[in-house]
């Protein structure tokens, strides 16, 4: 497929997008990224993503001055790749640029590398509908998970382990508390109250998480931004995750333990209903939300 | 300069070595590396580096079957780049290869990316002779620092901060203990006994550290592999760091506090003497070791 990408000022076929081995993204993980979902040409939460991107760039001390042009670039790339009527992901990566390898920052004349890519990103219907199993592992990541950096080796290792165990995600546990998963935020439900880890240096401030919190406020579900203790996980009625790709996805099994009766619960279903109606419109009606909600 | 590099089976000018934006080293920090110093064509601790590389690859679950050919490739690249009579660094990086971005591993037919580069790496005479200042910062890195992964953003950020403060390194502190620095191991000396953090998941098993330990054993300096408490740092007589680039380098100032009288101490000097005589031969005599030792 001849997908076009954007690299440092130019649109080009991906096969012609060359990164230098001296790119600090390649040898130092010296970069940050965002993934934005486009629903038939319409970006979800573009502004929220930009705000977070600015925070990540600031956290990584990468100077990038073209923030205001990104929306136009992303829209243009979606158009060029004829994804305006599709569900698509737009991947944006920014690194500290190309310079002979040394730990310290290159001088300020070195421009950041800017890379944008698009790909088809359909909803994970089966997982959304029936929920997923997750595994639980120690959170061995660094202590600035609020920066959306490309330092994803632990996420990669743990997600691979999850898949090998027949699971769809891995919950991370830090100091006894469930933080987040390899690429999604986590919510737990007990007696109709939702619990989620507060924004901190140990979790990414998720854009879909933010959307879920807005939905809860609107439809009157109480949310407590308190972390859940891993050893008390069996006391919760429901779990679900949120993310740009996973959207709002029920979790029905933690390791070998089913959550309640092993079916997506009513609070999760209500939030899914709101989220999917808002993002997919009437198409979501065909997914039998009413049946799901019961 | 027309330096040649090695990339996936071929020697080529660095300007023609192209990495795909889908390389997992670029978008996931899904890779490991080594730096080996060549002293006038002779590699220091090649075998030790290979052993560690194998451990890093195993830790990152990257399958690479060409370990046994690496020494020949590195030697050849040194020769091709006419560095056989120089002090040079050989940089080797291995990533999980190129595949459309997804967290889970690509299928097993995807070959790792192998990249090797050489560069001039002279001794840091001034720093070796007079010592450096270091800053101290919280160790925010992940919890598998024993894997020499390319996830170096925190190292980059902290080293840059060190340089801005007029320092030559940054000591990391985890749970109150000094672990290591951004790209070197740490040693402290009290009453002629050397203290260093034991090998663990929080420090890299340094090759030069290993050489220092061998020197100590040979010349009868007692080493205790116990970590040093940051709040007791003022009780130590000497500090020094070791690394492939820094070799054996005195630390004479921690933040605003001088270590003792602010001059490299006798134990550091003895180890430097042994190390530099072994690696640089008679040239090191010109560096006035006797003067240094006093």
């Amino acid at each position: 497929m001849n997908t076009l990408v954007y690299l440092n000022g130019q649109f080009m076929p991906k096969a012609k997008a060359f990164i230098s081995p001296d790119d600090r993204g390649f040898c130092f993980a010296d970069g940050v990224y965002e993934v934005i979902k486009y629903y038939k040409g319409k970006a979800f939460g573009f502004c929220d993503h930009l705000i977070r991107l600015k925070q990540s760039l600031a956290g990584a001390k990468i100077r990038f001055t073209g923030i205001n042009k990104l929306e136009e670039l992303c829209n243009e790339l979606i158009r060029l790749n004829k994804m305006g009527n599709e569900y698509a992901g737009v991947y944006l990566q920014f690194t500290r640029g190309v310079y002979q390898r040394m730990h310290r920052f290159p001088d300020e004349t070195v421009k950041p590398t800017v890379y944008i890519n698009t790909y088809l990103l359909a909803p994970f219907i089966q997982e959304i509908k029936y929920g997923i199993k997750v595994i639980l592992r120690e959170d061995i990541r660094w202590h600035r998970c609020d920066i959306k950096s490309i330092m994803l080796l632990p996420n990669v290792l743990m997600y691979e382990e999850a898949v090998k165990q027949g699971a769809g995600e891995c919950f991370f546990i830090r100091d006894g508390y469930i933080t987040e998963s390899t690429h999604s935020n986590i919510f737990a439900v007990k007696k109709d109250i939702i619990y989620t880890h507060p924004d901190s240096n140990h979790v990414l401030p998720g854009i879909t998480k933010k959307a879920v919190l807005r939905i809860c406020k609107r439809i009157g579900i109480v949310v407590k931004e308190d972390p859940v203790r891993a050893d008390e996980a069996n006391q919760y009625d429901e779990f679900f995750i949120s993310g740009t790709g996973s959207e709002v996805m029920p979790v029905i099994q933690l390791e070998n333990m089913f959550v309640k009766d092993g079916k997506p619960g009513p609070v999760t279903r209500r939030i899914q209903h709101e989220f999917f109606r808002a993002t997919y419109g009437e198409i979501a009606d065909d997914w039998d939300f009413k049946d799901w909600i019961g």
Side-chain angles (χ1 to χ4, degrees), chain A:
Chain A
M1 202 170 73
N2 250 338
T3 316
L4 295 178
V5 301
Y6 173 90
L7 180 63
N8 297 331
Q10 285 186 294
F11 294 102
M12 61 188 77
K14 197 203 267 180
K16 295 209 168 167
F18 297 129
I19 304 295
S20 165
D22 278 338
D23 192 289
R24 296 180 62 99
F26 183 67
C27 57
F28 280 121
D30 198 2
V32 299
Y33 75 107
E34 281 291 331
V35 182
I36 301 170
K37 183 152 177 176
Y38 273 67
Y39 293 82
K40 290 185 179 276
K42 205 175 158 227
F44 181 80
F46 205 99
C47 187
D48 287 339
H49 282 285
L50 282 194
I51 291 168
R52 185 172 67 185
L53 173 62
K54 277 188 199 174
Q55 289 167 347
S56 293
L57 288 165
K61 296 181 182 169
I62 295 174
R63 289 163 191 258
F64 171 65
T65 53
I67 291 269
N68 294 336
K69 288 176 194 154
L70 289 178
E71 187 161 11
E72 203 182 310
L73 287 177
C74 292
N75 291 346
E76 179 67 4
L77 195 57
I78 285 285
R79 199 188 61 75
L80 289 170
N81 285 328
K82 299 182 178 52
M83 291 182 180
N85 204 30
E86 308 280 354
Y87 302 113
V90 175
Y91 176 85
L92 304 97
Q93 181 172 328
F94 306 81
T95 80
R96 207 180 306 279
V98 177
Y99 204 82
Q100 190 178 324
R101 188 182 183 279
M102 59 172 196
H103 279 69
R104 69 168 304 187
F105 294 179
D107 68 73
E108 292 181 9
T109 59
V110 175
K111 290 255 184 295
T113 298
V114 181
Y115 171 69
I116 312 177
N117 182 21
T118 63
Y119 57 100
L120 292 176
L121 182 55
F124 296 94
I125 297 281
Q126 290 302 304
E127 290 83 355
I128 287 168
K129 197 161 180 173
Y130 300 109
I132 57 167
K133 170 187 171 178
V134 302
I135 61 170
L136 280 76
R137 290 292 181 277
E138 197 63 32
D139 194 345
I140 60 168
R141 299 171 306 159
W142 74 327
H143 293 252
R144 285 302 305 276
C145 296
D146 54 320
I147 299 173
K148 198 168 172 70
S149 85
I150 53 174
M151 298 211 306
L152 294 169
L153 178 53
N155 308 57
V156 160
L157 290 173
M158 296 303 181
Y159 187 71
E160 174 70 10
E161 205 175 323
V163 172
K164 279 206 172 141
Q165 311 256 350
E169 251 297 8
C170 169
F171 282 8
F172 287 131
I173 301 166
R174 174 120 49 184
D175 299 329
Y177 290 96
I178 294 172
T179 51
E180 60 181 338
S181 39
T182 71
H183 49 301
S184 42
N185 291 109
I186 300 170
F187 298 82
V189 184
K190 185 158 63 175
K191 292 181 185 163
D192 296 329
I193 294 172
I194 289 184
Y195 297 83
T196 191
H197 199 291
D199 284 352
S200 82
N201 58 320
H202 288 144
V203 299
L204 187 77
I207 305 306
T208 310
K209 174 187 175 185
K210 209 169 164 181
V212 167
L213 296 182
R214 275 194 296 254
I215 288 172
C216 290
K217 196 165 187 185
R218 185 159 47 76
I219 65 175
I221 297 175
V222 178
V223 178
K224 292 193 179 171
E225 293 193 56
D226 291 329
V228 168
R229 282 196 61 86
D231 59 6
E232 295 174 355
N234 59 353
Q235 299 172 14
Y236 289 81
D237 306 321
E238 304 177 33
F239 280 91
F240 66 93
I241 59 172
S242 72
T244 295
S246 47
E247 303 185 306
V248 180
M249 191 178 282
V251 171
I252 54 162
Q253 191 181 342
L254 309 180
E255 294 285 351
N256 293 322
M257 182 194 81
F258 284 110
V259 179
K260 277 276 184 166
D261 61 354
K263 286 177 188 159
V267 175
T268 305
R269 286 307 194 207
R270 281 174 66 198
I271 291 163
Q272 285 190 295
H273 178 74
E274 296 293 329
F275 182 85
F276 288 110
R277 279 302 312 261
T279 47
Y280 290 90
E282 62 270 28
I283 293 168
D285 288 340
D286 297 339
W287 300 342
D288 293 333
F289 269 119
K290 280 181 193 147
D291 280 9
W292 297 8
I293 297 173

